[in-house]
Amino acid sequence: MHRILAAILIGAAVAVAPAAPALALDDGLALTPPMGFNDWNAFGCDVSEELIEQTADLFVSEGLSDAGYTYVNIDDCWALKDRDPATGRLVPDPAKFPSGIAGTAAYVHGKGLKLGIYGDAGTNTCAGYPGSLGHETLDAQTFADWGVDYLKYDNCYNQSDGTQADYVRRYSAMRDAIAATGRPIVFSICEWGTTQPWTWGADVGHLWRTTGDISDNWPSLRGIIAANAPLYPYAGPGHWNDPDMLEIGNGGLTPAENRTHMSMWAMMAAPLIIGTDLRSASPETLAILTNRSVIEIDQDRLGQAGKVVSDANGLMVLDKPLASGEHAIALYNSTDALATVGTTLGGTHPWRLQDVWTGAVTQARSHVEAAVPAHGTVVYKVRPIRDPGPIAPSVTVGGAIGTVTPAAGIPLTTTVTNRGVGPLGDVSVSVGAPAGWIVTAATSARARSLATDKSLVTTWTVTAPATVTAGSYPLTLSTSYTWSGRRRSSTASTLMASVVTPPPGGTRYLSTVRAADFTNASGPIELDQSNGGAAPGDGNLITIGGHVYTRGLGASAPSSIRYYLGGECSTLTTDVGVDDTSPDGAADFAIYADGVAVATASVTAGAAPQSLTADLTGAAWLLLSTTGTGNADWAAPVLTCGEAGPVQPVERTLFSFEAGTDGFGIANADGGGSVEPTTAFHTDGAAGLLVHTPVNGNWFGRALDAPLDLTGTSGLKFDMRVETAGSVGEIAVQVGDAFTWCQGGQWTWLNPGDSRTISRSFDEISCPSGTTLDKADIRAVWVYLNTGGNVAIDNVRAE
């Protein structure tokens, strides 16, 4: 359990936020964060008039418009690939929009809603359709003529020199063009936070993206919150930080994570742009999206984003003043365990707390606090009160447990804390566990009385069955107590116990084995890449002394990583070294088996990797430890348990580029681009492929001499380093005698110098209607790359 108590002073008077940029676009638009829908997250390029009209219908029938959602926004791929040769205007794809954008807008307006559209401050959109660079006046007038109310303006193919001045120039050109039309159009700047648009965006647009694209997973959500929350001084009526669209309902987030998504967007005064298919949205998804109490926080007319009161150890507290004089307090837990999160309230009076998700009302003397589940957020509206007597006290029950192994007694600690005015009586605490688990109290689980701000701490022993399998298991922590005489209440929270079991038999990369726990000097331990910093997934391919690895563990010294072996494993082999991203680093590496060092090495920056072999025979626990400074890598670590065999997961190389280009070329002869061998970047052998991409992009690959059978594999992978610019790309295969194209798995923007493994499942690759992706009959393999820069790739393979 993590506990953080950060002191703030809030009173009945409205707090004053730090100075924000002056409102330059004083046009009365977006005085509260825009609310609406965008098709991209759920549909990509599969946008159509039918989809937009069906979504508008659902806005009305499902109560979304009543909740405040207004804009139904079209994203990329709505246009033809060429402008009208006579007028130069953008042309809606007649197959997708038979009534045109104007007809679609009329339908949406008829529902009392507004229509948004997508454009780009470059020569092309991210999907390769015409951009507006150099066409701002014509395109803005076209949008206005069609009845568009909102413009999302992207940043692909931007022809930029990279300076902030150029970004301001390109986006200001569209701002001025919109203003000249006389039509009120909300202007959404989508330049991915590249040039800190929060410092200049208020003069140009109504909202600006602060980060790269959101993805439907917890690391993406966590990283975006960490980047966007500190920008609270820059938000206000008519100018908003935009941490991207909502992924709620798309399936990649847990219920707790979905509520965190909605809660933190509201607390950060972010636009609420739905990104799921509302035609199949579950009641749970709609309930989250239409929670009036949360929406009221986001749409509060005071227009202040929540101030970051504290941010430490993965726990964050936000304080958002509201026009009513109340405050919204968010208690956010980004860690993987139950945590007690709280803050101190000012004044000499008690406080009324209302949970915006459950509606429960409690009172507190001077602390607002909750036991917050992993990846969860609790939001209270708080205000001072005179008489707390009739209101139940705020009581938290938290807990902490170590990693659970089969049939071993593991200590658990529970903590019941009274934050209300007045003592609790007859306090008891209990722990509920899954069937077959044994929980026994080692210290008292009862207290006759518990005064304000006092705690009952109880220790327990938890034993899981010998047959338990690896995973997370709920432990229910419950407390019962009396207050205000004879009134009885209870409070409960859920602690997830992490169970580890020995790895499966065979030989496998250690990066595919679940660690019991870790510590790291900066950010998480990265899998199959180096440690880049505090955010997950921000590293590069592990590189030691110029040698590039596609498998490994990227740590930042000092660090430790623990694995449970249960006496089932025999050997660990690994290369170790200081990553080339830490030119001044020096690290000591040690492998421990049950606390005994069995292999060690000392490596300095720039030195070649050292190889270690550790005997783990009979060991229950494996510990990998680094001390020193810099990014310290465990490269290509291979663990053998039981009978040795081929290293899992097995990869099959399709193109290694050792003999040249392996026949790679371009798919579209008039699209531009070329390839050549390179030795500057390679992960397999001594050579790779250097791709000179055209600005508008092309497919690079080849048709095969004979059909390729990839039965039994799950996807395609290749290693990539962006040399001179970012890249937007996809993977494609051609199947069957007709060489039918199937493509998908888009990735977006790698910064110059970045390297990583691009891995896409066959499930992410879509075929035209009527065609099945037959993995036994692959006729061609292609990679789409663009932006006009150089990209090095190597080791195209199936896994």
Side-chain angles (χ1 to χ4, degrees), residues 76 118 120 124-128 154-157 192 728 746 784 786:
D76 206 348
Y118 170 97
D120 195 286
N124 287 81
T125 71
C126 294
D154 218 333
N155 190 38
C156 288
Y157 301 100
W192 321 318
V728 177
Q746 186 180 81
Y784 181 81
N786 66 5

Side-chain angles (χ1 to χ4, degrees), residues 177-196:
I178 291 171
T181 70
R183 181 171 180 81
I185 298 176
V186 171
F187 187 30
S188 170
I189 298 169
C190 183
E191 61 92 84
W192 321 318
T194 305
T195 62
Q196 298 184 324

Side-chain angles (χ1 to χ4, degrees), residues 458-481:
T458 306
T459 57
W460 313 72
T461 298
V462 177
T463 306
T467 57
V468 70
T469 57
S472 295
Y473 295 81
L475 301 176
T476 303
L477 316 181
S478 303
T479 182
S480 175
Y481 46 87

Side-chain angles (χ1 to χ4, degrees), residues 612-670:
L612 298 178
T613 299
D615 183 358
L616 306 176
T617 303
W621 288 94
L622 164 67
L623 175 67
L624 306 183
S625 172
T626 68
T627 56
T629 60
N631 292 335
D633 299 328
W634 303 88
V638 174
L639 179 68
T640 298
C641 303
E643 185 175 347
V647 180
Q648 301 289 331
V650 175
E651 296 180 342
R652 176 181 171 187
T653 297
L654 307 179
F655 307 102
S656 65
F657 309 111
E658 292 304 297
T661 65
D662 280 2
F664 264 49
I666 58 176
N668 302 313
D670 59 351

Side-chain angles (χ1 to χ4, degrees), residues 329-618:
I329 304 293
L331 310 175
Y332 163 56
N333 172 19
S334 71
T335 75
D336 298 330
L338 180 72
T340 299
V341 190
T343 189
T344 303
L345 303 176
T348 58
H349 41 66
W351 295 85
R352 179 184 186 271
L353 320 177
Q354 182 172 17
D355 187 314
V356 301
W357 286 104
T358 67
V361 175
T362 56
Q363 50 87 1
R365 179 66 194 89
S366 59
H367 290 82
V368 54
E369 181 178 278
V372 185
H375 306 177
T377 303
V378 173
V379 180
Y380 292 109
K381 284 184 179 178
V382 307
R383 59 179 173 83
I385 53 175
R386 292 183 180 275
D387 179 15
I391 303 174
S394 172
V395 178
T396 62
V397 53
I401 189 171
T403 302
V404 177
T405 56
I410 305 299
L412 161 70
T413 301
T414 60
T415 304
V416 178
T417 303
N418 174 21
R419 294 301 186 186
V421 176
L424 305 179
D426 190 21
V427 182
S428 64
V429 60
S430 61
V431 178
W437 291 49
I438 300 172
V439 181
T440 56
T443 61
S444 177
R446 304 187 70 90
R448 179 177 299 177
S449 179
L450 198 61
T452 298
D453 295 333
K454 298 300 181 181
S455 299
L456 167 64
V457 178
T458 306
T459 57
W460 313 72
T461 298
V462 177
T463 306
T467 57
V468 70
T469 57
S472 295
Y473 295 81
L475 301 176
T476 303
L477 316 181
S478 303
T479 182
S480 175
Y481 46 87
T482 61
W483 58 279
S484 188
R486 296 181 178 274
R487 298 186 184 184
R488 180 161 288 277
S489 294
S490 62
T491 301
S493 56
T494 301
L495 173 65
M496 300 304 295
S498 178
V499 174
V500 293
T501 56
T507 304
R508 65 193 63 251
Y509 289 109
L510 190 60
S511 57
T512 67
V513 176
R514 179 180 180 178
D517 51 56
F518 72 88
T519 63
N520 200 43
S522 176
I525 302 292
E526 299 287 3
L527 303 181
D528 299 330
Q529 61 179 323
S530 65
N531 183 275
D538 58 2
N540 288 275
L541 290 175
I542 288 172
T543 307
I544 304 171
H547 187 107
V548 182
Y549 297 82
T550 60
R551 293 286 188 179
L553 304 168
S556 179
S559 68
S560 66
I561 317 170
R562 256 193 348 144
Y563 297 87
Y564 179 64
L565 307 182
E568 301 292 331
C569 302
S570 57
T571 308
L572 174 69
T573 62
T574 183
D575 287 355
V576 297
V578 175
D579 197 88
D580 288 357
T581 56
S582 295
D584 299 320
D588 295 322
F589 296 80
I591 302 174
Y592 293 88
D594 286 341
V596 177
V598 291
T600 61
S602 297
V603 189
T604 57
Q610 294 189 34
S611 297
L612 298 178
T613 299
D615 183 358
L616 306 176
T617 303

Side-chain angles (χ1 to χ4, degrees), residues 229-264:
L231 302 178
Y232 64 89
Y234 297 95
H239 53 275
W240 307 103
N241 296 315
D242 177 11
D244 206 3
M245 299 170 286
L246 299 171
E247 292 281 10
I248 296 165
N250 286 335
L253 301 172
T254 67
E257 291 164 355
N258 278 324
R259 289 189 292 273
T260 284
H261 198 348
M262 190 73 178
S263 297
M264 293 301 282

